[in-house]
Amino acid sequence: MAKLNIAPTKSNLLSIKEQLSVAEDGYDLLEQKREILVMELMHMVEQVKQLEQKIEATVQTAYPALKNMLMAVGGNQVERISHAVSYDFEMTEKPVTAAGMQFNTIDVELPKRQLFYSFMDSYADTDEVMVHFFELLKLLTQMASIRTMVWRLANEVKKTQRRVNALDKMVIPQTRETKVYIESVLEERERENVFVLKNLKSRSAKKE
């Protein structure tokens, strides 16, 4: 690792020592941050897996229920019922903090189910389909939010890891090598000065 190209002076030595201390402290803080981010990321990945299982289970019940409804009442009747159904879904942004980072998640407020059709024109299959697809909408909204958080956390982990690597592999070793170099040069100068002073004293003593 090449040392920094600076003059080997006492003032530069003090500056290099300060830079080295800051770099080492920064490395420790970034390493702690990286560990926290990775733990939070792993936790969210586990949440994604659980949501995927719930979504898969809901899909496995929702679409068969829709198929049964089509078979029971017929496509034309299902279409007439669908035109009668009208819901307003309120979606809002919800601030969330994870691993020291701010996120905006999407929250959907499911409306209370209403009866848009007469009892004579519908069957129990109709209500069952509504229940399953309401639940599916809620789960998919949660999945969209958490996947966005996972993506941002993963990017932050990569950025932090790059900074940790830069400090560990380049900045700190280079600064340490420069510090050692300056110290060795200053020590050599000090020895030369002592030697010169001794010679001067010796010559002065002989003259006397």
Side-chain angles (χ1 to χ4, degrees):
M1 177 66 65
K3 66 182 185 299
L4 296 171
N5 187 23
I6 60 174
T9 63
K10 289 184 178 180
S11 61
N12 282 340
L13 178 59
L14 292 175
S15 177
I16 281 294
K17 285 182 176 180
E18 185 177 350
Q19 290 177 34
L20 181 59
S21 177
V22 170
E24 289 174 340
D25 289 343
Y27 173 82
D28 291 338
L29 289 173
L30 283 172
E31 184 64 22
Q32 292 175 19
K33 177 183 177 181
R34 188 191 65 82
E35 290 177 359
I36 292 172
L37 288 171
V38 169
M39 289 176 62
E40 188 64 36
L41 182 59
M42 292 174 63
H43 175 67
M44 287 191 178
V45 168
E46 185 61 32
Q47 287 183 313
V48 168
K49 291 179 180 178
Q50 293 175 1
L51 270 175
E52 286 176 343
Q53 293 174 356
K54 290 180 181 179
I55 290 172
E56 180 64 22
T58 305
V59 167
Q60 293 297 326
T61 54
Y63 282 94
L66 177 59
K67 183 179 179 181
N68 291 337
M69 178 182 173
L70 288 167
M71 293 175 63
V73 303
N76 291 334
Q77 181 66 2
V78 169
E79 187 175 357
R80 282 195 294 270
I81 292 173
S82 68
H83 288 311
V85 176
S86 178
Y87 282 108
D88 291 325
F89 294 90
E90 185 176 346
M91 302 186 75
T92 57
E93 285 190 357
K94 180 180 176 183
V96 174
T97 302
M101 296 178 63
Q102 292 288 335
F103 300 93
N104 285 327
T105 60
I106 300 174
D107 189 25
V108 60
E109 184 177 345
L110 299 180
K112 293 182 180 180
R113 288 188 293 114
Q114 303 176 43
L115 187 64
F116 292 98
Y117 38 80
S118 68
F119 289 106
M120 299 297 295
D121 295 330
S122 63
Y123 299 84
D125 300 286
T126 307
D127 294 328
E128 184 181 357
V129 170
M130 296 286 287
V131 169
H132 291 315
F133 278 92
F134 264 44
E135 179 64 19
L136 185 57
L137 174 62
K138 182 178 180 180
L139 292 173
L140 289 174
T141 304
Q142 292 175 0
M143 178 63 81
S145 294
I146 197 169
R147 279 188 177 275
T148 301
M149 293 173 67
V150 166
W151 180 78
R152 284 190 57 194
L153 273 174
N155 281 340
E156 191 65 25
V157 168
K158 289 180 181 178
K159 285 166 55 179
T160 304
Q161 186 63 60
R162 284 197 296 267
R163 292 171 183 168
V164 168
N165 289 340
L167 286 171
D168 185 42
K169 305 299 183 184
M170 186 174 68
V171 176
I172 292 177
Q174 191 176 49
T175 307
R176 281 177 179 165
E177 186 170 338
T178 304
K179 171 179 169 290
V180 170
Y181 165 73
I182 294 176
E183 287 175 338
S184 65
V185 171
L186 292 177
E187 287 173 1
E188 182 63 27
R189 287 177 182 173
E190 186 67 24
R191 285 193 293 270
E192 289 177 357
N193 290 336
V194 171
F195 178 76
V196 169
L197 286 174
K198 284 182 178 180
N199 282 338
L200 289 174
K201 286 182 180 180
S202 177
R203 290 179 183 179
S204 177
K206 287 179 180 180
K207 287 180 181 180
E208 292 176 358

mmCIF file of all heavy atoms in Angstrom, residues 3 13 15 23-24 29 39 44 67 71 78 99 101 108 112 114 117 124 127 129 140 151 166 168-169 187 196 198 204:
data_model
loop_
_atom_site.group_PDB
_atom_site.id
_atom_site.type_symbol
_atom_site.label_atom_id
_atom_site.label_comp_id
_atom_site.label_asym_id
_atom_site.label_seq_id
_atom_site.Cartn_x
_atom_site.Cartn_y
_atom_site.Cartn_z
ATOM 1 N N LYS A 3 2.110 4.966 0.558
ATOM 2 C CA LYS A 3 1.830 5.970 1.588
ATOM 3 C C LYS A 3 1.365 7.253 0.925
ATOM 4 O O LYS A 3 1.522 7.461 -0.282
ATOM 5 C CB LYS A 3 3.073 6.205 2.427
ATOM 6 C CG LYS A 3 4.239 6.837 1.664
ATOM 7 C CD LYS A 3 5.441 6.984 2.559
ATOM 8 C CE LYS A 3 6.566 7.719 1.827
ATOM 9 N NZ LYS A 3 7.030 7.011 0.634
ATOM 10 N N LEU A 13 2.530 14.875 11.038
ATOM 11 C CA LEU A 13 2.388 13.670 11.858
ATOM 12 C C LEU A 13 1.169 13.794 12.763
ATOM 13 O O LEU A 13 0.384 12.846 12.899
ATOM 14 C CB LEU A 13 3.644 13.443 12.693
ATOM 15 C CG LEU A 13 3.605 12.233 13.641
ATOM 16 C CD1 LEU A 13 3.381 10.943 12.863
ATOM 17 C CD2 LEU A 13 4.876 12.160 14.470
ATOM 18 N N SER A 15 -1.424 15.652 12.202
ATOM 19 C CA SER A 15 -2.591 15.605 11.319
ATOM 20 C C SER A 15 -2.912 14.169 10.906
ATOM 21 O O SER A 15 -4.082 13.760 10.900
ATOM 22 C CB SER A 15 -2.340 16.453 10.074
ATOM 23 O OG SER A 15 -3.425 16.380 9.176
ATOM 24 N N ALA A 23 -10.619 7.805 11.070
ATOM 25 C CA ALA A 23 -10.890 6.691 10.158
ATOM 26 C C ALA A 23 -11.219 5.411 10.925
ATOM 27 O O ALA A 23 -12.139 4.663 10.561
ATOM 28 C CB ALA A 23 -9.694 6.459 9.240
ATOM 29 N N GLU A 24 -10.468 5.149 12.006
ATOM 30 C CA GLU A 24 -10.714 3.935 12.797
ATOM 31 C C GLU A 24 -12.054 4.013 13.516
ATOM 32 O O GLU A 24 -12.783 3.014 13.579
ATOM 33 C CB GLU A 24 -9.570 3.737 13.796
ATOM 34 C CG GLU A 24 -8.264 3.319 13.125
ATOM 35 C CD GLU A 24 -7.098 3.268 14.090
ATOM 36 O OE1 GLU A 24 -7.184 3.900 15.177
ATOM 37 O OE2 GLU A 24 -6.089 2.610 13.776
ATOM 38 N N LEU A 29 -17.961 2.495 13.613
ATOM 39 C CA LEU A 29 -19.365 2.919 13.524
ATOM 40 C C LEU A 29 -20.049 2.325 12.293
ATOM 41 O O LEU A 29 -21.197 1.860 12.367
ATOM 42 C CB LEU A 29 -19.448 4.450 13.488
ATOM 43 C CG LEU A 29 -19.104 5.171 14.799
ATOM 44 C CD1 LEU A 29 -19.066 6.681 14.579
ATOM 45 C CD2 LEU A 29 -20.111 4.827 15.890
ATOM 46 N N MET A 39 -29.107 -7.356 10.034
ATOM 47 C CA MET A 39 -30.077 -8.020 10.912
ATOM 48 C C MET A 39 -31.508 -7.610 10.565
ATOM 49 O O MET A 39 -32.406 -8.451 10.497
ATOM 50 C CB MET A 39 -29.762 -7.685 12.375
ATOM 51 C CG MET A 39 -28.501 -8.347 12.914
ATOM 52 S SD MET A 39 -28.103 -7.827 14.604
ATOM 53 C CE MET A 39 -29.567 -8.405 15.487
ATOM 54 N N MET A 44 -36.728 -8.676 7.702
ATOM 55 C CA MET A 44 -37.737 -8.329 6.700
ATOM 56 C C MET A 44 -37.855 -9.401 5.622
ATOM 57 O O MET A 44 -38.951 -9.650 5.109
ATOM 58 C CB MET A 44 -37.397 -6.978 6.070
ATOM 59 C CG MET A 44 -37.645 -5.806 6.982
ATOM 60 S SD MET A 44 -37.529 -4.240 6.122
ATOM 61 C CE MET A 44 -37.945 -3.122 7.472
ATOM 62 N N LYS A 67 -64.107 -19.467 -9.348
ATOM 63 C CA LYS A 67 -64.490 -20.486 -10.338
ATOM 64 C C LYS A 67 -65.808 -21.149 -9.953
ATOM 65 O O LYS A 67 -66.690 -21.357 -10.810
ATOM 66 C CB LYS A 67 -63.379 -21.531 -10.440
ATOM 67 C CG LYS A 67 -63.636 -22.603 -11.483
ATOM 68 C CD LYS A 67 -62.471 -23.583 -11.550
ATOM 69 C CE LYS A 67 -62.750 -24.675 -12.578
ATOM 70 N NZ LYS A 67 -61.619 -25.649 -12.638
ATOM 71 N N MET A 71 -69.409 -21.140 -11.992
ATOM 72 C CA MET A 71 -70.121 -22.375 -12.321
ATOM 73 C C MET A 71 -71.532 -22.375 -11.732
ATOM 74 O O MET A 71 -72.474 -22.902 -12.324
ATOM 75 C CB MET A 71 -69.337 -23.581 -11.801
ATOM 76 C CG MET A 71 -68.003 -23.788 -12.507
ATOM 77 S SD MET A 71 -67.038 -25.133 -11.794
ATOM 78 C CE MET A 71 -68.119 -26.541 -12.102
ATOM 79 N N VAL A 78 -72.570 -13.187 -13.029
ATOM 80 C CA VAL A 78 -71.396 -12.668 -12.325
ATOM 81 C C VAL A 78 -71.042 -11.278 -12.842
ATOM 82 O O VAL A 78 -70.712 -10.379 -12.064
ATOM 83 C CB VAL A 78 -70.195 -13.628 -12.492
ATOM 84 C CG1 VAL A 78 -68.903 -12.970 -11.995
ATOM 85 C CG2 VAL A 78 -70.444 -14.925 -11.742
ATOM 86 N N ALA A 99 -34.058 0.290 11.348
ATOM 87 C CA ALA A 99 -32.598 0.377 11.308
ATOM 88 C C ALA A 99 -32.120 1.815 11.145
ATOM 89 O O ALA A 99 -31.138 2.095 10.463
ATOM 90 C CB ALA A 99 -32.035 -0.498 10.191
ATOM 91 N N MET A 101 -33.548 4.155 9.501
ATOM 92 C CA MET A 101 -33.939 4.724 8.215
ATOM 93 C C MET A 101 -35.437 4.999 8.190
ATOM 94 O O MET A 101 -36.222 4.268 8.794
ATOM 95 C CB MET A 101 -33.569 3.776 7.070
ATOM 96 C CG MET A 101 -32.085 3.544 6.898
ATOM 97 S SD MET A 101 -31.738 2.376 5.553
ATOM 98 C CE MET A 101 -32.402 3.268 4.134
ATOM 99 N N VAL A 108 -53.674 0.226 3.285
ATOM 100 C CA VAL A 108 -54.995 0.256 2.658
ATOM 101 C C VAL A 108 -56.050 -0.023 3.717
ATOM 102 O O VAL A 108 -55.927 -0.949 4.511
ATOM 103 C CB VAL A 108 -55.101 -0.775 1.506
ATOM 104 C CG1 VAL A 108 -54.858 -2.197 1.989
ATOM 105 C CG2 VAL A 108 -56.455 -0.671 0.820
ATOM 106 N N LYS A 112 -66.073 -1.521 4.788
ATOM 107 C CA LYS A 112 -67.008 -2.553 5.245
ATOM 108 C C LYS A 112 -67.795 -3.076 4.043
ATOM 109 O O LYS A 112 -68.217 -2.317 3.175
ATOM 110 C CB LYS A 112 -67.969 -1.971 6.274
ATOM 111 C CG LYS A 112 -67.293 -1.588 7.579
ATOM 112 C CD LYS A 112 -68.319 -1.060 8.575
ATOM 113 C CE LYS A 112 -67.636 -0.686 9.893
ATOM 114 N NZ LYS A 112 -68.613 -0.160 10.877
ATOM 115 N N GLN A 114 -70.642 -4.271 1.792
ATOM 116 C CA GLN A 114 -72.050 -3.878 1.701
ATOM 117 C C GLN A 114 -72.782 -4.804 0.734
ATOM 118 O O GLN A 114 -72.163 -5.519 -0.051
ATOM 119 C CB GLN A 114 -72.154 -2.434 1.202
ATOM 120 C CG GLN A 114 -71.402 -1.431 2.053
ATOM 121 C CD GLN A 114 -71.475 -0.039 1.458
ATOM 122 O OE1 GLN A 114 -72.540 0.410 1.001
ATOM 123 N NE2 GLN A 114 -70.348 0.669 1.443
ATOM 124 N N TYR A 117 -76.448 -6.018 -4.101
ATOM 125 C CA TYR A 117 -77.349 -6.824 -4.925
ATOM 126 C C TYR A 117 -78.364 -7.485 -3.998
ATOM 127 O O TYR A 117 -78.162 -7.616 -2.801
ATOM 128 C CB TYR A 117 -76.558 -7.893 -5.688
ATOM 129 C CG TYR A 117 -75.427 -8.489 -4.875
ATOM 130 C CD1 TYR A 117 -75.666 -9.470 -3.917
ATOM 131 C CD2 TYR A 117 -74.116 -8.023 -5.048
ATOM 132 C CE1 TYR A 117 -74.638 -9.988 -3.159
ATOM 133 C CE2 TYR A 117 -73.089 -8.533 -4.283
ATOM 134 C CZ TYR A 117 -73.348 -9.523 -3.346
ATOM 135 O OH TYR A 117 -72.328 -10.019 -2.576
ATOM 136 N N ALA A 124 -74.267 -17.663 -1.834
ATOM 137 C CA ALA A 124 -73.234 -17.610 -0.795
ATOM 138 C C ALA A 124 -71.852 -17.533 -1.415
ATOM 139 O O ALA A 124 -70.928 -16.946 -0.829
ATOM 140 C CB ALA A 124 -73.345 -18.841 0.109
ATOM 141 N N ASP A 127 -70.457 -13.887 -1.681
ATOM 142 C CA ASP A 127 -69.871 -13.320 -0.465
ATOM 143 C C ASP A 127 -68.502 -13.938 -0.177
ATOM 144 O O ASP A 127 -67.576 -13.251 0.274
ATOM 145 C CB ASP A 127 -70.795 -13.544 0.733
ATOM 146 C CG ASP A 127 -72.100 -12.767 0.597
ATOM 147 O OD1 ASP A 127 -72.064 -11.680 -0.003
ATOM 148 O OD2 ASP A 127 -73.134 -13.245 1.080
ATOM 149 N N VAL A 129 -66.310 -15.087 -2.330
ATOM 150 C CA VAL A 129 -65.333 -14.505 -3.252
ATOM 151 C C VAL A 129 -64.902 -13.121 -2.769
ATOM 152 O O VAL A 129 -63.716 -12.776 -2.782
ATOM 153 C CB VAL A 129 -65.920 -14.419 -4.679
ATOM 154 C CG1 VAL A 129 -65.012 -13.587 -5.586
ATOM 155 C CG2 VAL A 129 -66.095 -15.807 -5.255
ATOM 156 N N LEU A 140 -51.421 -8.099 -0.598
ATOM 157 C CA LEU A 140 -50.595 -7.585 -1.697
ATOM 158 C C LEU A 140 -50.101 -6.171 -1.406
ATOM 159 O O LEU A 140 -48.973 -5.810 -1.778
ATOM 160 C CB LEU A 140 -51.397 -7.599 -3.002
ATOM 161 C CG LEU A 140 -51.681 -8.990 -3.593
ATOM 162 C CD1 LEU A 140 -52.606 -8.883 -4.792
ATOM 163 C CD2 LEU A 140 -50.382 -9.691 -3.986
ATOM 164 N N TRP A 151 -35.724 -3.593 -0.555
ATOM 165 C CA TRP A 151 -34.870 -3.106 -1.655
ATOM 166 C C TRP A 151 -33.998 -1.939 -1.186
ATOM 167 O O TRP A 151 -32.797 -1.910 -1.456
ATOM 168 C CB TRP A 151 -35.756 -2.663 -2.822
ATOM 169 C CG TRP A 151 -34.990 -2.149 -3.994
ATOM 170 C CD1 TRP A 151 -34.317 -2.858 -4.944
ATOM 171 C CD2 TRP A 151 -34.804 -0.755 -4.345
ATOM 172 N NE1 TRP A 151 -33.728 -2.015 -5.855
ATOM 173 C CE2 TRP A 151 -34.007 -0.734 -5.514
ATOM 174 C CE3 TRP A 151 -35.242 0.438 -3.788
ATOM 175 C CZ2 TRP A 151 -33.647 0.465 -6.128
ATOM 176 C CZ3 TRP A 151 -34.868 1.626 -4.398
ATOM 177 C CH2 TRP A 151 -34.079 1.619 -5.558
ATOM 178 N N ALA A 166 -13.540 0.294 1.911
ATOM 179 C CA ALA A 166 -12.613 1.370 1.544
ATOM 180 C C ALA A 166 -11.753 1.776 2.734
ATOM 181 O O ALA A 166 -10.541 1.977 2.602
ATOM 182 C CB ALA A 166 -13.394 2.575 1.025
ATOM 183 N N ASP A 168 -11.152 -0.118 5.440
ATOM 184 C CA ASP A 168 -10.363 -1.266 5.907
ATOM 185 C C ASP A 168 -9.218 -1.621 4.968
ATOM 186 O O ASP A 168 -8.125 -1.991 5.419
ATOM 187 C CB ASP A 168 -11.292 -2.468 6.085
ATOM 188 C CG ASP A 168 -10.578 -3.663 6.684
ATOM 189 O OD1 ASP A 168 -9.788 -3.469 7.624
ATOM 190 O OD2 ASP A 168 -10.804 -4.793 6.214
ATOM 191 N N LYS A 169 -9.460 -1.521 3.671
ATOM 192 C CA LYS A 169 -8.473 -1.983 2.690
ATOM 193 C C LYS A 169 -7.580 -0.872 2.145
ATOM 194 O O LYS A 169 -6.493 -1.167 1.635
ATOM 195 C CB LYS A 169 -9.191 -2.663 1.507
ATOM 196 C CG LYS A 169 -10.122 -3.798 1.901
ATOM 197 C CD LYS A 169 -9.378 -4.928 2.589
ATOM 198 C CE LYS A 169 -10.330 -6.080 2.916
ATOM 199 N NZ LYS A 169 -9.634 -7.158 3.670
ATOM 200 N N GLU A 187 12.396 10.325 13.623
ATOM 201 C CA GLU A 187 13.327 9.682 14.554
ATOM 202 C C GLU A 187 14.755 9.702 14.008
ATOM 203 O O GLU A 187 15.721 9.932 14.748
ATOM 204 C CB GLU A 187 12.888 8.241 14.821
ATOM 205 C CG GLU A 187 11.654 8.129 15.691
ATOM 206 C CD GLU A 187 11.153 6.702 15.795
ATOM 207 O OE1 GLU A 187 11.792 5.808 15.188
ATOM 208 O OE2 GLU A 187 10.134 6.479 16.469
ATOM 209 N N VAL A 196 25.092 15.262 15.625
ATOM 210 C CA VAL A 196 25.728 16.539 15.273
ATOM 211 C C VAL A 196 26.056 17.343 16.528
ATOM 212 O O VAL A 196 27.152 17.921 16.667
ATOM 213 C CB VAL A 196 24.818 17.356 14.337
ATOM 214 C CG1 VAL A 196 25.352 18.784 14.182
ATOM 215 C CG2 VAL A 196 24.726 16.680 12.982
ATOM 216 N N LYS A 198 26.597 16.211 19.529
ATOM 217 C CA LYS A 198 27.709 15.567 20.233
ATOM 218 C C LYS A 198 29.041 15.935 19.594
ATOM 219 O O LYS A 198 30.039 16.216 20.289
ATOM 220 C CB LYS A 198 27.524 14.049 20.237
ATOM 221 C CG LYS A 198 26.483 13.562 21.218
ATOM 222 C CD LYS A 198 26.396 12.044 21.210
ATOM 223 C CE LYS A 198 25.394 11.548 22.236
ATOM 224 N NZ LYS A 198 25.300 10.067 22.238
ATOM 225 N N SER A 204 34.191 21.520 20.501
ATOM 226 C CA SER A 204 34.298 22.688 21.377
ATOM 227 C C SER A 204 35.153 22.368 22.589
ATOM 228 O O SER A 204 35.957 23.196 23.022
ATOM 229 C CB SER A 204 32.896 23.105 21.833
ATOM 230 O OG SER A 204 32.978 24.186 22.719
#
